[in-house]
Amino acid sequence: MTAPINIHSRAWVAAAAYVGPGVTMHEGAVAGACAVVTKDVPAGDIVAGNPARSVAQRYLGRVTDA
C-alpha cells in the first residue's frame, strides 16, 4: 500500500519515528522519538509511543512586536 505522507509547516518528526502511508502531520504537530504514527495528528498535538497517542498540546500562537 502506498500513499503520500503530508507534513505541514512547523510540524516535527523526531528521530527513528515511523509515519505510515497516508498520514498527515498537521501544522505544529510533533511525533516523539520512536513513535509509530498510523493516524493523522491534529494541529498542535504531541504524540508518542507505539502506537502513537496524544501526550500533550502545543500552543501555536503568533508572537507579535508590542
Side-chain angles (χ1 to χ4, degrees):
M1 179 175 141
T2 62
I5 296 171
N6 298 302
I7 301 177
H8 291 224
S9 64
R10 301 185 345 173
W12 182 55
V13 179
Y18 169 82
V19 179
V23 170
T24 298
M25 300 282 297
H26 291 275
E27 183 178 1
V30 175
C34 300
V36 177
V37 184
T38 58
K39 297 179 182 177
D40 290 356
V41 181
D45 207 10
I46 301 171
V47 298
N50 180 8
R53 293 189 176 98
S54 178
V55 295
Q57 293 289 316
R58 291 178 69 194
Y59 173 69
L60 298 173
R62 305 272 186 222
V63 176
T64 58
D65 293 331

